[in-house]
Amino acid sequence: MSPQNFEFHLPLAPEELLKSRGVNQYVVQEVLPIKQLPLQLRAFQSAFRAQGPLAMLEHFDTIYSILHHFRSIDPGLKEDTLEFLIKVVSCHSQELPSILDDATLSVPDRAAHLNTLKMNCYALVRLLESFENVTSQTSLINLDVGGRGKKARAKAALGFDWEEERQPVLQLLTQLLQLDIRHLWNHSVIEEEFVSLVTGCCYRLLENPTIGHQKNRPTREAIAHLLGVALVRYNHMFSATVKIIQMLQHFEHLPSVLVAAVSLWATDYGMKSIVGEIVREIGQKCPQELSRDTAGTKSFAAFLTELAERVPAVLMSSMCILLDHLDEESYVMRNAVLAAMAEMVLQVLKGDQLEETARETRDQFLDILQAHVHDVNSFVRSRVLQLFTRIVQQKVLPLTRFQAVVALAVGRLADKSVLVCKNAIQLLASFLANNPFSCRLSDADLAGPLQKETQKLQDMRAQRRPAAASAALDPEEEWEAMLPELKSTLQQLLKLPQEEEDQQIAGTETVEEVTGRIRQLLAKASYKQAIILTREATSHFQESQPFSHTDLEEDSFLHLLGIIFKAPTQESHGDNVPVLTNSKDTPSASEPEGPQRDDELVKQEMLVQYLQDAYSFSQKVTEAIGVISKMMYENTSTVVQEVIEFFVMVFQFGVPQALFGVRRMLPLIWSKEPGVRDAVLNAYRQLYLNPKGDSARATAQALIQNLSLLLVDASVGTIQCLEEILCEFVQKGEIKPAVTQLLWERATEKVPCSPLERCSSVMLLGMMARGKPEIVGSNLDTLVKVGLEEKFPQDYRLAQQVCLAIANISDRRKPSLGERQPPFRLPREHRLFERLGEMVTKGFAHPDPLWIPFKEAAVTLTYQLAESPEVICAQMLQGCAKQALEKLEKNTTEDPKDRVPMLPTFLLMNLLSLAGDVALQQLVHLEHAVSGELGRRRVLQEEREHRTKDPKEKSTGSETTMEEEMGLVGATADDTEAELIRGICERELLDGSQVLAAFVPLLLKVCNNPGLYSNPDLCAAASLALGKFCMISAPFCDSQLRLLFTMLEKSSLPTVRSNLMVATGDLAIRFPNLVDPWTPHLYARLRDPAQQVRRTAGLVMTHLILKDMVKVKGQVSEMAVLLIDPVPHIAALAKNFFNELSHKGNAIYNLLPDIISRLSDPEGGVEEEPFHTIMKQLLSYITKDKQTESLVEKLCQRFRTARTERQYRDLAYCVSQLPLTERGLHKMLDNFDCFGDKLSDDSVFAAFLSVVGKLRRWAKPEGKSTIDEFEQKLRACHTRGMDGVEELEAGQGGSQRALSAKKPSAVSRQKPLTSVDSDSDFVTPKPRRTNRPQPNTQQRKSKKKARVTFSSDEASEDELSAEMTEEETPKRTTPIRRASARRQRS
């Protein structure tokens, strides 16, 4: 077919070119075989050299055949074809400009070039798509295979790197489209198929998942430019819009790619309208469709968000289309629209020079953002807070909205969502960092200036007010005020007949003088005289202004009076001239003063407003601190880290309350989360290790001062945490030598400082010694001289801190069995122990309250560092006892008539306290140091014996046998050493020949006679000492337990009860079998009236229960009662206990039945509202389906044994708080008879209706019928009782009953529950009286499972009484087994 005689039609599918569909339509004559393709391609190349691009008209079949066999032909042929086609198209594009400009171009030539253009583009596009398909398949294969060499495998499949060739092909097509090729078509209208051919290729390339990779950036840019040309020159906007929407719905990788392209079209190509078209399509999307298609919705949202970041000004004109999505269900779209608004505020609507419309738009956007801080979806609330954080950080938020947004952020701190709380903290931190007020935000610092400046403003206004009052009022306002009365007077005078009046105008008076008189009369409210004078003036001065042409009508007359009154004052009396001159001069002199006063007033108002805003902001920050500090111990580590960073920033801004948060974060140094621990270290590093100073010494001074402030009124726990942090810093070398040097100078008084500063320096040195013992060890003698030298008065606080600092030079851990060197100890004759002994014995006789903590530290240090510490401490005891006896003898000698010898109370208290400390430290010394040293020496002895053995002896026996024997021997030796230590404690320490034994009778006498020895301090010291003595020996403990628990219950002193609670807790760990029968009395202290005792009891019981040292019985309900304790700290302690207990398997699940029984007991339970609070917390720990089902069944069955309506309501409430499932609903239906008759109570009915509501929320379609059945039965029972249920079932027939009968049988065929879910865990004490008959075996069985009493049978009132006789003493129960004897004492 001649080239001039055919027309090439672009096919929709390649096969269409094989069939003729019209006259003169080009048809491929033959698909050449693969073998002929190289030869035919060379023929095409020869023809091209001869004819140029028009050779394509004759050789198109060759290219078509190559495309047809593309997957089968040689890679070299593919590459040759691509190179040749690029050359052909490039040549044609270079020739076309001259051809298009040729006005004499014939129709056949135009048709030939048009066909060539179509063929070239079709062939090139098809070839590009073929290469792309092969590459995509190869990449998928490589994805499965993995490993190295992916690029090499891809290159092997094609013969070259196709990714490098893609861009030139696209650029060539772009170059071709940029030509004015529309003249090749009839009527200069390009057919849509041609544009779709080129653009469709681009869209198919974009579908490749790897198009977004960095390596494909040139390809992306080439595609964007090609499509941009199509948009500008070929009216491609509608098609592009539809295609972009479709691709966003189906390809998750495209939002960022398409955003880059659209922003390029809007900016470089001026096609801003396409943004509006795309946004319109998105805005018109159906909400239901967006809810169903979550992937597409995410793509739309990502597209809008990124588009707003790129071209916010272009998108802003289309925002009204998207506003409807803010009220729709999809939170993802709400987030996108809100983010777009924020970007516009950040990039476009910023600055103070905005036009009115732009300012209104900004305010609308900010109003919407603020409103969505309270969005129903937590992700939206979180996103809005993030957006506000960016707005604040870039200082774009108007100052007028500052307080409102801060208030919103503070309110979101109480949000249920952890993510929202975290972002609220970040927003507040941004507000702090970018606040426009001050770098110091202390309420106290701001309140003073605010009050001062406010008073100054009030004074300025007061001064201005009299001046304003004395100044002439505005004439216009005066005229308006007098007009009603003047009008009334004029009307009356006009009605009256005009009488002959005396002449009031002198012949010599001028117009100005008369108008002045009229003005004065009006000012004096002499309206009648003013009207008469004016009437006369109109006739007297007919030719003079303002009286000329004035008639006597009411309106004209009033107008004349108004002109006269409001005219400027001009007097002309000769006597008044000087006065008038002065009156003129006075305003001129004060003219500058008036504006100046106004400026000062405005400035003062602005200053007061600024201070008021700063003060309000500071108060909001203070309010936030109280809320955020409670979040410091959240379970989410990221939130905790945000809280820590917030407090660091608040502290740096000088907010006084921040110190509370900085101290509160200290215990987090023990966190198991590395991120939290590092955050605490970084916080203290920022706050304390890098203070500002001109020199190293000034920096050290500031660092020490800051750390010393933390020690003020610090608890023991706070000091321990700070010690851990300083130890970490010292070990990492972050504390400079200048700091240590200055601390020593302050401790040795080389630098002037107060006693408290000196004491804090010693404390800090001691803390640092834990990380680097040589800090104190190398200056031990200096420290002894500093704090322990004899002086008067003796500073026991400093001496105590010296002892604690020295104690840190030794390792407090138990000696390792493999240690070669013995533990570090000082000789008994060392100056340190000499001074300690002297200070203890000499201070004994002086009533100094600081002596007691000092002697405790001294005794501890002696046992820790001294050789033979028992000898030194025995000497201390003997010396103190000797002084007490001498004092006693002296009192007896001075007053022989007094038969009963008297001793000062403080001496007896000091003596018993010292004896208790020595007893406890002696026990610790034996079990820690002596036991460890015995083990170390034994291991060394065994090693020496093993080395000295004959080689033949070593070879006897197998290696395994020897290891087993060694292990057995080691275990036996451990037990032997433990028995030795136990024997010493039980038989020798409190034996009559020992020093400690001498104090036992005195101690028991004081404890047994609280009436005789009633001093509170003495009772506290004696009770604590008794607890320490009981720790030594099991027989002695057993003999004194009744006394201990009697004091625990009967003592009227909260301090004594609190001390004994700690002591009995320690005894429960050391001698669990002895204390176990007394466990109910430990639980009883949880309801102690004293806050201090309840807190101590809660701590002790938490440790005992979590360490499995006491049996967890029904009395754990007492711990549950602490959840509603009025003291927040105690309530938090109880909540923490149950949080930890919930991690111990099924502990809470097993305890719940007894807890419910006890708390709902009418005799000893709690009120209804507190019961709800407690059970809501406890039932939140029930999360397993099996546990829920079992609890539902048990609670339903307990309705039968409940005795009061209150118990019915309590049980119903518990059921309503469980996370019920469909199987739980079947359990309730099976046990409906148990609670059906109780549904007449409105509270019970409401509780079960709430269960129905929860079930409906998550119900599956197939389960809704069961829920409907359950609700019908509930309503029938509520209105008509159990008869209503029978009528309902009779009306429904047997179908539903049969269905409900099948379902429980299916459940019953399941495997029985494990032991933790079994009924044995729910067995409760038998009721005291029950006369209910048991009709049959099945009922008896179910009754046995649900049998319950709502009072405590395990701890009656008699058992809780502290008056116990020998017969009432609890006997030993089954011992608690332990792994070994050593574990018992650990």
Side-chain angles (χ1 to χ4, degrees):
M1 183 181 295
S2 174
Q4 288 79 13
N5 298 332
F6 68 81
E7 183 180 353
F8 184 82
H9 287 259
L10 292 169
L12 296 176
E15 294 78 11
E16 292 182 6
L17 288 175
L18 299 175
K19 301 175 183 178
S20 177
R21 296 182 178 273
V23 180
N24 294 334
Q25 180 179 342
Y26 180 83
V27 178
V28 175
Q29 301 299 320
E30 178 186 4
V31 178
L32 302 173
I34 295 176
K35 293 180 181 180
Q36 297 180 16
L37 292 179
L39 181 63
Q40 292 297 324
L41 182 61
R42 286 194 292 272
F44 186 8
Q45 291 170 346
S46 300
F48 171 72
R49 285 192 293 270
Q51 303 174 22
L54 294 178
M56 173 63 80
L57 298 173
E58 298 177 359
H59 293 274
F60 179 79
D61 291 7
T62 302
I63 301 299
Y64 181 88
S65 302
I66 292 174
L67 293 172
H68 184 79
H69 297 295
F70 189 82
R71 295 181 182 277
S72 305
I73 62 178
D74 185 68
L77 182 60
K78 297 177 183 178
E79 185 177 3
D80 293 342
T81 305
L82 178 63
E83 291 179 359
F84 178 62
L85 265 182
I86 291 175
K87 181 187 285 189
V88 171
V89 177
S90 179
C91 181
H92 195 207
S93 67
Q94 293 172 6
E95 292 180 1
L96 275 176
S98 59
I99 295 171
L100 294 170
D101 293 339
D102 187 3
T104 62
L105 185 67
S106 64
V107 174
D109 290 344
R110 181 180 59 79
H113 282 287
L114 177 59
N115 287 332
T116 302
L117 176 66
K118 289 182 179 180
M119 288 180 171
N120 285 340
C121 289
Y122 176 79
L124 190 60
V125 167
R126 280 288 317 280
L127 190 62
L128 186 150
E129 291 177 351
S130 300
F131 276 117
E132 191 65 23
N133 291 335
V134 173
T135 306
S136 299
Q137 293 179 0
T138 307
S139 63
L140 289 174
I141 296 171
N142 292 340
L143 190 64
D144 294 336
V145 175
R148 298 181 179 179
K150 295 180 182 179
K151 191 171 183 179
R153 286 195 292 271
K155 189 172 182 179
L158 296 173
F160 64 101
D161 189 0
W162 162 243
E163 293 177 353
E164 297 178 359
E165 298 294 333
R166 232 175 356 204
Q167 182 189 4
V169 174
L170 294 168
Q171 289 175 341
L172 181 58
L173 289 171
T174 306
Q175 180 182 348
L176 197 60
L177 290 184
Q178 285 175 334
L179 301 175
D180 197 10
I181 58 176
R182 66 179 185 276
H183 296 303
L184 295 177
W185 275 267
N186 293 329
H187 310 295
S188 298
V189 178
I190 299 177
E191 57 187 292
E192 184 65 29
E193 289 79 3
F194 179 79
V195 179
S196 299
L197 172 71
V198 181
T199 57
C201 161
C202 296
Y203 296 129
R204 281 187 284 276
L205 287 175
L206 289 175
E207 293 174 5
N208 188 341
T210 63
I211 194 68
H213 295 176
Q214 181 62 28
K215 63 180 181 179
N216 290 325
R217 181 178 178 181
T219 303
R220 295 198 303 272
E221 293 177 350
I223 292 173
H225 284 291
L226 178 55
L227 292 174
V229 172
L231 286 167
V232 174
R233 302 179 68 90
Y234 301 103
N235 196 24
H236 183 58
M237 183 181 295
F238 176 76
S239 301
T241 302
V242 174
K243 194 65 180 177
I244 287 173
I245 295 297
Q246 291 175 349
M247 295 176 74
L248 283 173
Q249 283 183 293
H250 295 96
F251 301 99
E252 296 181 1
H253 67 279
L254 279 184
S256 57
V257 177
L258 292 177
V259 164
V262 172
S263 58
L264 177 73
W265 303 336
T267 53
D268 292 6
Y269 288 89
M271 297 297 296
K272 296 181 180 180
S273 56
I274 193 170
V275 175
E277 292 297 327
I278 296 172
V279 171
R280 183 176 292 106
E281 289 294 327
I282 296 175
Q284 293 174 353
K285 284 290 180 183
C286 177
Q288 290 77 15
E289 180 184 349
L290 292 175
S291 300
R292 289 193 301 269
D293 182 16
T294 54
T297 305
K298 288 180 181 178
S299 294
F300 288 143
F303 177 82
L304 289 174
T305 304
E306 294 188 35
L307 190 63
E309 294 174 3
R310 294 283 191 105
V311 284
V314 179
L315 181 61
M316 190 165 65
S317 60
S318 304
M319 281 302 296
C320 57
I321 303 171
L322 298 172
L323 293 180
D324 289 342
H325 285 300
L326 293 175
D327 300 323
E328 303 299 344
E329 184 179 350
S330 174
Y331 77 89
V332 179
M333 287 300 294
R334 291 206 298 278
N335 274 346
V337 176
L338 293 170
M341 290 180 177
E343 287 298 332
M344 292 161 197
V345 172
L346 285 166
Q347 299 186 42
V348 182
L349 305 171
K350 62 179 180 178
D352 298 328
Q353 308 301 323
L354 289 177
E355 296 179 358
E356 187 63 29
T357 54
R359 187 178 290 107
E360 290 178 359
T361 304
R362 180 197 64 188
D363 292 341
Q364 289 175 2
F365 286 172
L366 290 174
D367 287 339
I368 293 172
L369 286 170
Q370 288 179 221
H372 281 274
V373 171
H374 299 287
D375 196 282
V376 295
N377 190 283
S378 62
F379 291 107
V380 179
R381 299 196 297 272
S382 175
R383 181 63 173 150
V384 173
L385 292 172
Q386 290 175 356
L387 296 173
F388 268 120
T389 301
R390 287 187 58 204
I391 291 172
V392 172
Q393 286 173 347
Q394 297 189 27
K395 295 182 172 59
V396 181
L397 186 70
L399 290 180
T400 54
R401 294 180 178 267
F402 216 79
Q403 303 293 344
V405 180
V406 170
L408 287 173
V410 174
R412 286 302 92 203
L413 292 174
D415 201 285
K416 293 182 179 180
S417 169
V418 172
L419 190 61
V420 176
C421 294
K422 174 185 172 183
N423 286 293
I425 296 171
Q426 289 178 344
L427 176 55
L428 286 171
S430 298
F431 269 117
L432 271 172
N434 299 279
N435 84 85
F437 304 116
S438 171
C439 61
R440 307 290 294 177
L441 290 171
S442 168
D443 288 355
D445 293 344
L446 291 170
L450 175 61
Q451 186 176 2
K452 179 182 176 182
E453 297 299 332
T454 304
Q455 184 62 43
K456 183 178 178 181
L457 176 63
Q458 291 174 353
D459 294 343
M460 291 177 68
R461 285 175 174 170
Q463 291 174 3
R464 180 181 171 82
R465 199 172 296 118
S470 62
L473 295 174
D474 183 20
E476 189 70 35
E477 294 178 359
E478 266 195 289
W479 173 255
E480 293 295 330
M482 70 174 66
L483 187 60
E485 190 175 351
L486 179 64
K487 191 174 183 180
S488 174
T489 305
L490 178 61
Q491 289 173 351
Q492 291 176 5
L493 287 175
L494 290 176
K495 290 178 182 179
L496 295 174
Q498 188 169 356
E499 299 176 357
E500 190 69 30
E501 298 172 346
D502 296 334
Q503 189 174 354
Q504 301 198 16
I505 300 176
T508 58
E509 281 186 306
T510 63
V511 174
E512 288 78 14
E513 291 174 344
V514 173
T515 54
R517 286 173 58 193
I518 295 172
R519 190 181 300 110
Q520 290 177 359
L521 289 171
L522 290 172
K524 294 177 182 178
S526 299
Y527 300 133
K528 183 176 180 181
Q529 287 78 2
I531 293 171
I532 294 172
L533 182 58
T534 305
R535 184 186 297 173
E536 184 178 348
T538 55
S539 60
H540 195 275
F541 302 107
Q542 292 182 2
E543 302 298 327
S544 302
Q545 292 294 337
F547 301 105
S548 61
H549 310 292
T550 303
D551 55 18
L552 297 179
E553 293 295 327
E554 178 182 342
D555 293 337
S556 302
F557 206 91
L558 286 175
H559 180 67
L560 173 61
L561 289 173
I563 292 174
I564 294 171
F565 183 79
K566 291 183 280 186
T569 304
Q570 290 183 0
E571 300 286 352
S572 61
H573 288 292
D575 296 339
N576 296 336
V577 171
V579 178
L580 291 173
T581 305
N582 292 339
S583 66
K584 288 179 182 178
D585 293 340
T586 304
S588 64
S590 62
E591 269 179 359
E593 189 177 348
Q596 185 178 359
R597 284 185 178 179
D598 290 344
D599 291 344
E600 291 177 358
L601 186 64
V602 170
K603 289 179 181 178
Q604 188 65 22
E605 288 174 344
M606 292 175 65
L607 176 60
V608 170
Q609 185 62 47
Y610 168 81
L611 291 173
Q612 182 62 53
D613 289 344
Y615 183 72
S616 301
F617 179 67
S618 177
Q619 285 186 315
K620 284 293 181 184
V621 171
T622 304
E623 179 187 348
I625 287 174
V627 181
I628 294 175
S629 63
K630 297 176 183 177
M631 303 164 64
M632 196 170 284
Y633 293 89
E634 287 283 343
N635 294 329
T636 311
S637 61
T638 54
V639 174
V640 177
Q641 292 175 41
E642 290 293 338
V643 172
I644 292 172
E645 291 177 9
F646 174 80
F647 274 107
V648 170
M649 184 172 292
V650 173
F651 188 84
Q652 290 172 339
F653 275 89
V655 181
Q657 294 81 359
L659 185 61
F660 168 73
V662 171
R663 281 188 175 183
R664 200 164 189 263
M665 73 173 71
L666 274 170
L668 292 173
I669 191 63
W670 311 107
S671 173
K672 296 177 181 177
E673 291 284 343
V676 175
R677 177 183 168 84
D678 292 343
V680 175
L681 288 172
N682 288 332
Y684 275 81
R685 188 177 288 113
Q686 291 180 51
L687 296 177
Y688 295 104
L689 285 194
N690 301 308
K692 296 179 181 179
D694 299 332
S695 62
R697 188 173 181 84
T699 303
Q701 181 75 30
L703 189 151
I704 293 171
Q705 188 66 28
N706 290 339
L707 289 176
S708 299
L709 286 175
L710 277 178
L711 298 176
V712 177
D713 298 329
S715 64
V716 177
T718 300
I719 292 173
Q720 288 177 346
C721 298
L722 188 59
E723 183 177 329
E724 178 70 16
I725 291 175
L726 285 180
C727 176
E728 187 88 15
F729 290 157
V730 170
Q731 289 175 348
K732 293 180 178 179
E734 296 185 50
I735 294 184
K736 307 300 180 185
V739 177
T740 309
Q741 178 66 27
L742 185 57
L743 285 173
W744 276 113
E745 290 179 7
R746 291 176 60 170
T748 55
E749 293 187 300
K750 290 182 180 179
V751 175
C753 60
S754 66
L756 281 178
E757 289 176 337
R758 190 181 181 202
C759 188
S760 66
S761 299
V762 174
M763 289 179 69
L764 293 173
L765 284 171
M767 293 176 183
M768 293 162 63
R770 262 205 58 210
K772 194 175 181 182
E774 54 267 27
I775 291 176
V776 170
S778 59
N779 297 281
L780 182 59
D781 295 337
T782 304
L783 205 54
V784 172
K785 185 177 180 180
V786 165
L788 303 180
E789 281 302 312
E790 186 172 358
K791 53 190 170 184
F792 186 83
Q794 194 72 52
D795 189 349
Y796 289 111
R797 180 184 283 110
L798 179 62
Q800 178 192 359
Q801 295 306 324
V802 167
C803 292
L804 295 175
I806 295 174
N808 282 334
I809 68 175
S810 69
D811 192 352
R812 301 178 186 178
R813 295 173 298 180
K814 193 169 183 177
S816 174
L817 295 179
E819 288 286 340
R820 300 291 175 186
Q821 298 296 328
F824 173 75
R825 287 192 175 267
L826 297 173
R828 198 171 65 189
E829 299 80 13
H830 195 277
R831 176 69 176 165
L832 169 64
F833 306 119
E834 179 185 340
R835 287 302 308 143
L836 288 176
E838 290 178 5
M839 289 187 68
V840 169
T841 51
K842 289 183 178 179
F844 172 76
H846 301 284
D848 192 335
L850 295 176
W851 179 85
I852 290 182
F854 158 69
K855 59 84 186 162
E856 183 179 357
V859 170
T860 304
L861 179 62
T862 302
Y863 272 99
Q864 188 175 335
L865 285 182
E867 294 179 354
S868 305
E870 64 278 0
V871 176
I872 301 174
C873 290
Q875 292 173 355
M876 291 183 190
L877 275 173
Q878 289 168 354
C880 294
K882 184 178 180 182
Q883 292 182 65
L885 289 173
E886 289 174 354
K887 184 68 175 177
L888 192 62
E889 291 174 358
K890 182 179 179 181
N891 291 343
T892 305
T893 306
E894 290 177 355
D895 190 7
K897 296 180 181 180
D898 192 356
R899 296 181 181 179
V900 180
M902 301 296 291
L903 190 67
T905 303
F906 79 89
L907 282 180
L908 185 56
M909 178 184 68
N910 289 352
L911 186 62
L912 293 179
S913 180
L914 178 60
D917 289 339
V918 173
L920 183 61
Q921 291 303 321
Q922 182 64 41
L923 172 65
V924 174
H925 177 66
L926 287 171
E927 295 207 340
H928 188 274
V930 175
S931 175
E933 181 63 12
L934 288 174
R936 189 187 69 83
R937 293 180 180 180
R938 171 176 51 79
V939 170
L940 292 177
Q941 180 67 25
E942 290 172 354
E943 289 181 357
R944 283 196 296 270
E945 291 175 358
H946 185 67
R947 284 196 298 269
T948 56
K949 277 185 179 181
D950 188 68
K952 294 181 180 179
E953 296 178 8
K954 291 183 183 180
S955 61
T956 57
S958 65
E959 186 178 353
T960 306
T961 306
M962 183 164 50
E963 289 178 356
E964 291 176 354
E965 288 178 355
M966 287 295 289
L968 182 60
V969 170
T972 306
D974 285 344
D975 290 340
T976 304
E977 292 160 6
E979 289 296 332
L980 173 64
I981 300 298
R982 187 186 302 114
I984 294 173
C985 292
E986 295 186 353
R987 290 187 293 275
E988 297 184 19
L989 285 185
L990 297 180
D991 185 54
S993 61
Q994 297 296 322
V995 177
L996 290 174
F999 295 91
V1000 172
L1002 176 62
L1003 181 61
L1004 294 178
K1005 184 175 182 181
V1006 173
C1007 291
N1008 277 304
N1009 297 279
L1012 184 60
Y1013 304 96
S1014 58
N1015 182 274
D1017 293 334
L1018 175 60
C1019 292
S1023 61
L1024 202 54
L1026 179 61
K1028 293 176 180 178
F1029 270 83
C1030 288
M1031 290 286 291
I1032 296 175
S1033 166
F1036 181 77
C1037 175
D1038 194 20
S1039 64
Q1040 303 304 323
L1041 274 179
R1042 186 188 301 110
L1043 173 61
L1044 275 175
F1045 280 97
T1046 301
M1047 293 170 66
L1048 178 63
E1049 303 232 359
K1050 292 284 188 177
S1051 176
S1052 60
L1053 302 173
T1055 306
V1056 172
R1057 300 201 300 275
S1058 183
N1059 286 346
L1060 287 174
M1061 190 68 208
V1062 176
T1064 50
D1066 292 340
L1067 291 173
I1069 294 175
R1070 181 160 174 79
F1071 306 121
N1073 292 341
L1074 296 179
V1075 179
D1076 183 65
W1078 302 87
T1079 303
H1081 302 283
L1082 294 177
Y1083 280 108
R1085 290 305 92 214
L1086 294 169
R1087 289 209 184 191
D1088 196 282
Q1091 168 187 334
Q1092 174 188 356
V1093 181
R1094 291 201 308 277
R1095 180 177 179 275
T1096 306
L1099 283 169
V1100 170
M1101 296 309 299
T1102 295
H1103 287 294
L1104 293 179
I1105 293 173
L1106 295 180
K1107 291 181 179 179
D1108 299 322
M1109 298 312 299
V1110 298
K1111 293 179 180 178
V1112 187
K1113 302 178 181 178
Q1115 293 101 328
V1116 78
S1117 61
E1118 304 297 341
M1119 282 294 288
V1121 174
L1122 292 186
L1123 288 168
I1124 56 169
D1125 196 278
V1127 181
H1129 185 79
I1130 298 177
L1133 175 67
K1135 185 177 180 180
N1136 181 63
F1137 164 75
F1138 283 107
N1139 285 340
E1140 294 296 326
L1141 189 63
S1142 66
H1143 299 149
K1144 295 176 70 69
N1146 301 289
I1148 292 183
Y1149 163 75
N1150 294 334
L1151 292 169
L1152 268 175
D1154 282 341
I1155 293 176
I1156 294 172
S1157 296
R1158 289 172 180 269
L1159 294 183
S1160 61
D1161 186 359
E1163 298 176 4
V1166 296
E1167 297 297 326
E1168 194 162 358
E1169 284 302 318
F1171 177 85
H1172 290 177
T1173 305
I1174 295 170
M1175 295 315 301
K1176 185 175 183 179
Q1177 178 67 36
L1178 296 183
L1179 290 169
S1180 67
Y1181 299 114
I1182 304 300
T1183 55
K1184 298 178 181 178
D1185 290 345
K1186 283 190 175 181
Q1187 293 178 351
T1188 303
E1189 294 161 18
S1190 181
L1191 272 178
V1192 167
E1193 185 175 12
K1194 303 307 174 186
L1195 291 172
C1196 290
Q1197 292 176 356
R1198 285 196 171 200
F1199 276 95
R1200 293 187 183 276
T1201 55
R1203 295 173 291 177
T1204 64
E1205 292 183 358
R1206 158 72 196 282
Q1207 291 173 342
Y1208 301 155
R1209 295 196 295 272
D1210 288 347
L1211 290 170
Y1213 178 80
C1214 293
V1215 172
S1216 69
Q1217 293 302 307
L1218 288 170
L1220 290 174
T1221 59
E1222 187 177 353
R1223 294 179 64 181
L1225 174 61
H1226 288 305
K1227 291 286 185 183
M1228 283 196 288
L1229 282 169
D1230 295 343
N1231 294 277
F1232 193 87
D1233 292 343
C1234 298
F1235 59 86
D1237 56 335
K1238 315 299 189 300
L1239 289 170
S1240 56
D1241 187 292
D1242 290 338
S1243 298
V1244 176
F1245 176 66
F1248 278 99
L1249 272 189
S1250 69
V1251 172
V1252 172
K1254 290 180 182 178
L1255 288 168
R1256 285 194 189 282
R1257 198 174 305 162
W1258 308 108
K1260 298 177 181 178
E1262 58 270 17
K1264 289 185 178 179
S1265 59
T1266 310
I1267 298 173
D1268 293 339
E1269 176 194 349
F1270 181 61
E1271 184 177 6
Q1272 290 174 6
K1273 293 180 74 172
L1274 288 176
R1275 294 188 181 279
C1277 236
H1278 177 60
T1279 54
R1280 301 190 298 277
M1282 293 300 289
D1283 295 338
V1285 178
E1286 295 175 1
E1287 294 173 6
L1288 180 65
E1289 292 178 349
Q1292 291 176 343
S1295 59
Q1296 291 187 2
R1297 288 200 302 274
L1299 181 62
S1300 63
K1302 290 179 182 178
K1303 289 181 178 175
S1305 65
V1307 174
S1308 64
R1309 286 195 297 270
Q1310 300 290 329
K1311 287 178 64 177
L1313 297 176
T1314 57
S1315 60
V1316 296
D1317 298 331
S1318 64
D1319 297 340
S1320 62
D1321 295 322
F1322 287 86
V1323 174
T1324 52
K1326 295 181 179 180
R1328 294 176 181 173
R1329 290 185 296 274
T1330 175
N1331 299 322
R1332 190 170 293 178
Q1334 308 290 341
N1336 53 46
T1337 307
Q1338 185 177 0
Q1339 282 189 354
R1340 278 197 299 274
K1341 184 176 180 182
S1342 69
K1343 293 283 184 181
K1344 184 176 181 181
K1345 287 166 65 179
R1347 198 148 180 170
V1348 62
T1349 176
F1350 289 90
S1351 61
S1352 173
D1353 292 330
E1354 295 181 8
S1356 64
E1357 292 181 1
D1358 297 335
E1359 290 175 340
L1360 292 177
S1361 173
E1363 299 177 0
M1364 293 172 278
T1365 62
E1366 182 67 33
E1367 293 77 12
E1368 293 172 334
T1369 303
K1371 304 303 178 185
R1372 297 185 183 181
T1373 59
T1374 306
I1376 299 175
R1377 298 180 181 230
R1378 284 159 288 152
S1380 68
R1382 295 186 68 190
R1383 181 179 172 187
Q1384 176 183 354
R1385 293 181 299 279
S1386 61

